[in-house]
Amino acid sequence: MGSAGARIQAEMQKGADVISDLLPQEVEEPQIKFPVGISASILAEDNLCRTAYCRSQVALNKGGDYAFGVDRNGFKWKCVNPRQIKGETHEGWACTALQCFDKPSHMGGVLKDGFKFDADCPKDFGVVVNDDGSPAVDAPEDAEEYPPVEMLRAPQSPDEMMSMPLPLALVPAPWPQQRRGGQLRPADGRRLVSFL
């Protein structure tokens, strides 16, 4: 019984080796890519800017918590956390629609393209602006860079916005001054002059 069991185990190991040789050793993670300019949703009305001031602040915002997206009607959006805009108190995002002008409206620009669905707005062709013609800072020119609006993450909470980014927390503070010859001098060697 012992030799028969060992023989069966050896045959099973041979079969397992043959099967493992047929299987790929490393399987890459699939890259999920959405069709360009396609979405199944629209933004909720609470996420839309209701005033020209809000739309302007969203377009000009270049830091903090913001995101871009495209809805099922092909409109591309720039969305900013409403906590970054004075007077906006609602939950969710503060968003403005984007278009492609030949130049910003304050320079006499006119609509060049609706910038909908898979249309791009390259720099040599025009500039990405909001509905009011204000340049949309940091807005991507390529339609591929706008994910569907249903993929937008939730805006950051006040606690998340107040926390220091990890790389900044790990950098030691620089020493702006050093002692030379018994006197306190800046690193570049200039003498400090006290007027008091």
Side-chain angles (χ1 to χ4, degrees):
M1 200 66 162
S3 67
R7 204 170 13 133
I8 293 172
Q9 183 140 2
E11 290 295 323
M12 288 178 61
Q13 183 61 40
K14 261 194 223 176
D17 290 342
V18 169
I19 290 174
S20 68
D21 289 342
L22 296 175
L23 294 175
Q25 297 302 319
E26 277 188 37
V27 178
E28 292 183 21
E29 279 291 318
Q31 295 291 332
I32 299 172
K33 192 162 185 171
F34 291 94
V36 177
I38 304 295
S39 175
S41 300
I42 59 173
L43 288 174
E45 191 173 340
D46 292 343
N47 292 324
L48 305 179
C49 282
R50 292 174 181 80
T51 64
Y53 176 78
C54 176
R55 291 189 297 272
S56 174
Q57 292 303 304
V58 168
L60 298 175
N61 185 287
K62 60 182 173 182
D65 188 19
Y66 62 93
F68 297 95
V70 62
D71 68 12
R72 74 172 177 213
N73 296 320
F75 286 99
K76 294 180 178 77
W77 298 89
K78 180 176 182 181
C79 300
V80 172
N81 192 325
R83 292 178 183 94
Q84 294 175 227
I85 301 172
K86 186 177 181 178
E88 293 293 319
T89 58
H90 65 275
E91 294 297 316
W93 292 100
C95 300
T96 186
L98 302 175
Q99 299 176 347
C100 186
F101 273 34
D102 61 348
K103 53 189 168 188
S105 64
H106 68 276
M107 297 172 62
V110 293
L111 182 67
K112 190 96 162 155
D113 184 41
F115 196 40
K116 292 176 94 178
F117 295 106
D118 63 347
D120 296 333
C121 186
K123 282 189 182 183
D124 58 340
F125 180 74
V127 63
V128 179
V129 298
N130 72 351
D131 283 341
D132 299 326
S134 297
V137 178
D138 293 339
E141 303 165 350
D142 297 329
E144 292 178 356
E145 296 184 46
Y146 291 86
V149 293
E150 55 266 23
M151 300 296 292
L152 285 178
R153 60 179 169 67
Q156 293 179 343
S157 68
D159 293 338
E160 291 172 321
M161 291 178 70
M162 297 294 286
S163 65
M164 182 184 304
L166 185 60
L168 292 178
L170 299 176
V171 176
W175 292 93
Q177 300 177 341
Q178 54 189 346
R179 285 199 179 270
R180 290 189 192 155
Q183 290 184 331
L184 191 62
R185 292 187 179 189
D188 63 1
R190 293 178 292 132
R191 286 184 174 218
L192 292 176
V193 179
S194 177
F195 294 102
L196 297 178

